Each structure stands twice: as structure tokens, then as C-alpha cells.
Amino acid sequence: MTETPDALGTPASAPAADPHCDDPHDHTGHDHPPTGADLVRDLVRGLSIQALLIPFLGVLLLLAILPFAPTSPVTLLIGILLGAAHLASLVATSLFVARTRRQLAVNPGLLAVRSAVEELLRVAAVLLALVLWPGDFRAELGIWIGAGAALVWLALATVQTVTTRRRIARPSEWSTEAVGTLLAQRVGARSTVIMRLLDVLGVVLFQVSATVLVILSPVLVIGTAVLSVGSGLSTLVLQRRPPAERARTPWAYVPLAIGVLTLALAALGLAPM
């Protein structure tokens, strides 16, 4: 593992000259991995860009759904409340795990229960919208409720990105360990940022499309719950793999693939309308 001072970006002792290199300052033909300072700089830059791109996704989402605006913008507020309820379910699950057994965090059973609760909350939000606005087209209501839920997750992802950028930029035991792990596993800042953006995009697509499916036919909540569990299981599988292997395994792209699949199913459901 890289030395701690180097991981923090502070001066470290100069490396020994390569015995196969006549000039210790001539690095021609040699592959030198990035230092801790390089990785910190790249991560801060990449996370700064990501902190701007994630809200931009929210703006694009709102622009995309404008043609499907229902009679009342309050529909979007119901979606935001749905996203907040999903977030509260996640926080409650995390607190339960922290106070009982941490091994439950990687338990597929707990994941299935949380996904079922989230989809039941989605059905409740959909039924509320149908009662309040019975004259609106179902598809329009579903799109705006799903968009509201997606905005909550976009806001959460933005806060997490800004917080991580600050913690990485500030020398601490956490940043030292995080950067040291990335260096040891040869994980680059670019792949880290790109994979996170793909995950966020997958969440946005799933939230909007799953809500459309449920409002078109409540029985489809079973299918959306299964897809939600599949996305969560892919995350559990990735957690068991070394960081260096995560970007190269197909499991890393499952959340995005499920989001695209759900979008395709919703588009098929809307086609006859």
C-alpha cells in the first residue's frame, strides 16, 4: 500500500532510482503509476464535475417531462414525497442494521423486504394521485410522480458527491485510507466517477419507468419489485469483489441495464395509448 504521506498529497521521500534506467530522472519507456497526490487531485476534479452533472440530469428530466404535464403540478410534489418515503425506508433499514447485526447489510432477505416496502409506497402514491385527479391520463400522472421520486435521489446523490469531495480533499484518516485503497487496487478517478454517474442514471430511469408501469397496471408492482431486488443484488455482489474488478464485471452495469429495461417496458405500455 502507498505510504500515508503520499496518499495525503504531502511530500514523501523520493523513490529509489530504477536500476534499469541510466538516468534516474529519465522515465522514458517506463510505466509509473499515479501518486496519492495525483489521485486526490483527479478525484476532487472528477467529483466537482459530477456534482454539477447530477443536478443537470434533474434539469434534463424536468424538461423531458414538460410535454406530459398533468392538470396540476402538485403531482410532482406527491412524487417528491414518495422519494422522501423511499429515503426514510432506507435510513430506517440502515439504523436497524447498525443496532442489530451488521451482517444484515448484505442479506438478500432484508433487501427484498425493503424493495417490497418501496414498491408498496409507490402503489400508495399512485392510488392517491388517481383519487385526486381522476380525469387526468394515467401515463402523465405516472411520469410526474416518478420524476418527483427521481429528483429526491438526484438531490441525495448530489449531497453525497459534495460531501465525498470535501472529505477526500481534506487530509484525514478516512481520506488516507480511501485513497490508499484506490491506489493499492489501481482504481482510477475517471472510472470511479463514471460508474457512479451510470448508477445515478439507472436510478432515475427506474423511478420514472417503474411508476408508469405501476399506474398502468397495479399488478405490475410485482415485476418492479423483482427488478428492484435484482438491482440491489448486483450491488451486494459488487461489494464482495475487490475495487479493481468492479468496473470490469458485468454486475457493475446491472442497475443501468435494469433502468433501461424498465424504460423499454414502460414505453411498450404507453405505445397503445
Side-chain angles (χ1 to χ4, degrees):
M1 182 176 290
T2 307
E3 295 179 359
T4 299
D6 195 43
L8 286 171
T10 54
S13 57
D18 191 328
H20 301 289
C21 190
D22 295 333
D23 183 358
H25 300 288
D26 182 13
H27 304 311
T28 304
H30 296 271
D31 183 19
H32 294 273
T35 63
D38 294 333
L39 185 56
V40 169
R41 182 184 63 249
D42 292 342
L43 280 173
V44 170
R45 182 184 305 165
L47 292 173
S48 298
I49 297 173
Q50 181 176 291
L52 297 175
L53 288 178
I54 293 178
F56 182 66
L57 286 177
V59 174
L60 288 180
L61 175 63
L62 291 176
L63 292 176
I65 66 174
L66 280 179
F68 308 97
T71 56
S72 173
V74 180
T75 309
L76 187 66
L77 177 59
I78 292 181
I80 292 175
L81 293 177
L82 171 62
H86 284 172
L87 181 57
S89 173
L90 176 63
V91 172
T93 303
S94 301
L95 291 176
F96 174 76
V97 170
R99 294 180 179 181
T100 54
R101 297 177 56 188
R102 295 188 179 274
Q103 293 83 353
L104 290 175
V106 293
N107 189 308
L110 184 63
L111 173 64
V113 171
R114 191 178 71 198
S115 296
V117 170
E118 290 179 353
E119 295 311 307
L120 289 176
L121 289 172
R122 194 187 309 278
V123 172
V126 162
L127 293 178
L128 177 61
L130 291 176
V131 170
L132 294 177
W133 299 283
D136 282 354
F137 289 107
R138 290 192 169 201
E140 295 175 351
L141 293 176
I143 290 173
W144 276 62
I145 294 174
L151 289 177
V152 173
W153 291 106
L154 286 172
L156 175 63
T158 302
V159 172
Q160 289 176 332
T161 300
V162 173
T163 302
T164 302
R165 177 176 59 82
R166 289 177 178 175
R167 296 184 71 183
I168 286 291
R170 185 184 301 117
S172 64
E173 182 179 351
W174 181 89
S175 63
T176 302
E177 182 178 354
V179 173
T181 300
L182 293 177
L183 284 173
Q185 296 289 333
R186 296 182 179 272
V187 179
R190 179 182 300 179
S191 63
T192 302
V193 172
I194 290 177
M195 293 308 301
R196 177 57 175 162
L197 284 175
L198 293 180
D199 286 344
V200 172
L201 180 59
V203 170
V204 171
L205 295 178
F206 179 81
Q207 288 295 332
V208 177
S209 304
T211 309
V212 171
L213 289 175
V214 170
I215 204 169
L216 292 178
S217 177
V219 72
L220 291 178
V221 68
I222 299 175
T224 57
V226 171
L227 291 174
S228 178
V229 171
S231 180
L233 286 177
S234 68
T235 303
L236 295 184
V237 172
L238 286 178
Q239 290 176 354
R240 299 175 184 272
R241 294 177 179 268
E245 297 180 5
R246 293 176 184 175
R248 295 194 294 266
T249 175
W251 288 102
Y253 304 94
V254 168
L256 177 61
I258 288 179
V260 173
L261 173 62
T262 312
L263 177 62
L265 294 175
L268 288 175
L270 294 175
M273 306 183 74

